[in-house]
Amino acid sequence: MDKFKVIEIKESVFEDNERQANLLREKLEKENVFLLNLMSSPGSGKTTTVLRTIEALKDEMRIGVLEADIDSDVDAHAVVQTGVEVIQLHTGGMCHLDADMTKQGLLELGTKEIDFAILENVGNLVCPAEFDTGASKNAMILSVPEGDDKPLKYPLMFSMVNVLLINKIDTIDYFDFDLDAVKKRAKKLNPNIKIIPISAKTGEGINEWVDWIRTQVKK
Amino acid sequence: MHELGVIIEVVKKVESFAKKNRIVEIDTLVLQIGELSSMVPKYVEACYPAAVDGTLLQDTKLKIEILPCNAICKNCNKVFNLIEAQKKCPDCESEEWDLLGGNEFLIKEIIAC
Ligand SMILES: Nc1nc2c(ncn2[C@@H]2O[C@H](COP(=O)(O)OP(=O)(O)OP(=O)(O)O)[C@@H](O)[C@H]2O)c(=O)[nH]1
Ligand SMILES: [Mg+2]
Ligand SMILES: [Zn+2]
């Protein structure tokens, strides 16, 4: 045993990714591309929201979409129908995307070709919160059927996003979902969070959402 | 699942560190995990054998040190353990505090030659 010695490493496991994420963010800033990282649990309505967003904005800016899916291309197919460029990122069983994968996807889209890129992250409220993708801004969707206790259960996600979309607001009468309680819980974790109730199905609230995107995109 | 992906990263990092420093045998890998980290020590241990399979760390033991999540009260400057105190200052009951640590996930050291 005495031939062994202790060698200090003291390295944060997430540090490498953070460095790459910061580089990517700087590059996007310089090239005037707004990259939005959209996160949520499975089925909260990411793809439906992406489709609505494209529909509202595609005549005024050049949009590209990155679809992260563990092992399918169902969502990418749906988005392709809108006519915008879509890149499918296969995460190969991983539960999150990192900055490097995101960058590869963006290079495929061509950063000169787009003003606004949307990244539909893997459906999961834990892991994506821990890996900075290098996105300009982060948004998450919480849908009404998931319940109003989610900020208590997944505090990291709620504390790192710039915007919280509360989706499926059309169903609020059928669930006992306390909208004010969610707003309060989210603000407590993240005082600057912007909260927008929407229905990706009926279109309610989508105007306020795309107005916020307009303020972020430089053309 | 989360843990496995991250542990594979850890193994890659340690392997490249070992290569750079001409280390051929690693007896023990020591990780530090904060109490508030989403990495659960129990699951880290469970996925470790799968992550090291076929790597330089195949026979390396894993040791995990837990780092406490301490906070400092903004009102009276008391330092306290956030979980034990249930997120309230035990002295003045203030809920306003700054986190001093507890989110860490670090490769602390290796015992190697
Ligand atoms: N009632 C209602 N249903 C919605 C709304 N938005 C989405 N849905 C439905 O919810 C289901 C899931 O929506 P998706 O957009 O596929 O959700 P997703 O987050 O992309 O799902 P994954 O990619 O599988 O994680 C679909 O059946 C949608 O039609 C909404 O605002 N109201
Ligand atoms: Mg989807
Ligand atoms: Zn106090």
Side-chain angles (χ1 to χ4, degrees):
Chain A
M1 179 70 206
D2 55 17
K3 65 175 180 158
F4 288 107
K5 57 182 185 290
V6 174
I7 304 167
E8 188 168 87
I9 302 184
K10 273 283 177 212
E11 184 174 315
S12 167
V13 176
F14 302 119
E15 204 167 84
D16 234 28
N17 185 58
E18 275 156 37
R19 200 163 39 233
Q20 288 192 24
N22 287 331
L23 287 175
L24 179 58
R25 221 175 343 265
E26 277 166 33
K27 176 181 157 74
L28 292 172
E29 174 86 40
K30 246 188 263 149
E31 299 184 5
N32 288 338
V33 177
F34 175 60
L35 170 64
L36 179 76
N37 175 23
L38 186 60
M39 298 170 286
S40 84
S41 308
S44 300
K46 293 180 293 298
T47 306
T48 316
T49 303
V50 167
L51 294 172
R52 277 276 177 193
T53 308
I54 294 169
E55 189 187 312
L57 294 173
K58 73 173 176 192
D59 294 335
E60 47 187 292
M61 56 184 75
R62 299 170 304 165
I63 305 177
V65 176
L66 301 175
E67 282 290 342
D69 238 319
I70 289 185
D71 207 15
S72 82
D73 54 8
V74 182
D75 291 346
H77 272 299
V79 178
V80 160
Q81 309 297 323
T82 65
V84 306
E85 188 79 22
V86 184
I87 302 294
Q88 172 76 48
L89 304 169
H90 283 293
T91 55
M94 291 280 272
C95 48
H96 62 271
L97 272 180
D98 60 20
D100 192 51
M101 285 189 263
T102 306
K103 185 173 159 197
Q104 299 310 324
L106 277 169
L107 292 179
E108 268 185 68
L109 273 181
T111 48
K112 300 264 183 316
E113 265 58 71
I114 46 171
D115 308 304
F116 173 36
I118 316 175
L119 166 63
E120 176 174 344
N121 212 313
V122 181
N124 177 332
L125 285 182
V126 181
C127 318
E130 264 182 291
F131 285 82
D132 191 340
T133 57
S136 321
K137 288 282 159 70
N138 295 292
M140 73 171 287
I141 301 177
L142 171 66
S143 67
V144 168
E146 292 169 72
D148 53 30
D149 58 352
K150 291 296 169 292
L152 304 174
K153 292 186 177 161
Y154 304 99
L156 187 62
M157 178 64 84
F158 285 83
S159 57
M160 66 156 296
V161 295
N162 306 96
V163 178
L164 165 62
L165 296 175
I166 301 182
N167 190 33
K168 308 195 186 178
I169 206 76
D170 55 289
T171 68
I172 198 151
D173 293 340
Y174 306 101
F175 294 91
D176 91 48
F177 183 93
D178 187 339
L179 186 58
D180 287 329
V182 168
K183 286 183 177 170
K184 227 160 88 196
R185 286 166 186 160
K187 292 254 183 204
K188 189 163 180 200
L189 292 164
N190 181 350
N192 298 320
I193 195 168
K194 185 174 174 65
I195 303 175
I196 311 174
I198 63 164
S199 167
K201 188 176 170 188
T202 68
E204 186 183 339
I206 295 293
N207 278 340
E208 191 184 347
W209 163 239
V210 296
D211 274 344
W212 177 79
I213 294 171
R214 287 187 181 105
T215 65
Q216 305 293 320
V217 175
K218 287 178 274 180
K219 275 173 280 180
Chain B
M1 203 62 227
H2 175 57
E3 278 81 3
L4 181 59
V6 178
I7 296 302
I8 290 173
E9 275 305 299
V10 169
V11 171
K12 277 194 212 148
K13 273 181 201 291
V14 175
E15 273 193 311
S16 88
F17 178 89
K19 215 173 271 166
K20 243 185 264 159
N21 295 280
R22 297 202 180 81
I23 292 164
V24 288
E25 196 184 339
I26 306 175
D27 178 71
T28 308
L29 164 66
V30 186
L31 302 179
Q32 288 181 317
I33 304 182
E35 280 182 307
L36 287 181
S37 166
S38 71
M39 299 293 291
V40 181
K42 191 170 80 184
Y43 296 141
V44 171
E45 274 163 5
C47 0
Y48 181 74
V52 295
D53 191 39
T55 74
L56 179 66
L57 283 77
Q58 183 145 288
D59 299 314
T60 303
K61 294 188 275 288
L62 173 68
K63 199 175 139 199
I64 296 177
E65 295 177 3
I66 308 290
L67 300 177
C69 62
N70 284 335
I72 181 162
C73 176
K74 280 189 180 176
N75 183 39
C76 72
N77 287 331
K78 164 134 184 114
V79 174
F80 59 97
N81 184 294
L82 206 58
I83 293 178
E84 279 168 22
Q86 301 190 337
K87 303 194 176 176
K88 248 188 216 162
C89 173
D91 280 4
C92 73
E93 303 211 332
S94 165
E95 287 183 49
E96 305 273 313
W97 34 258
D98 286 316
L99 197 63
L100 295 173
N103 284 321
E104 300 85 353
F105 184 62
L106 300 166
I107 304 171
K108 184 190 177 202
E109 61 200 18
I110 51 178
I111 301 171
C113 64

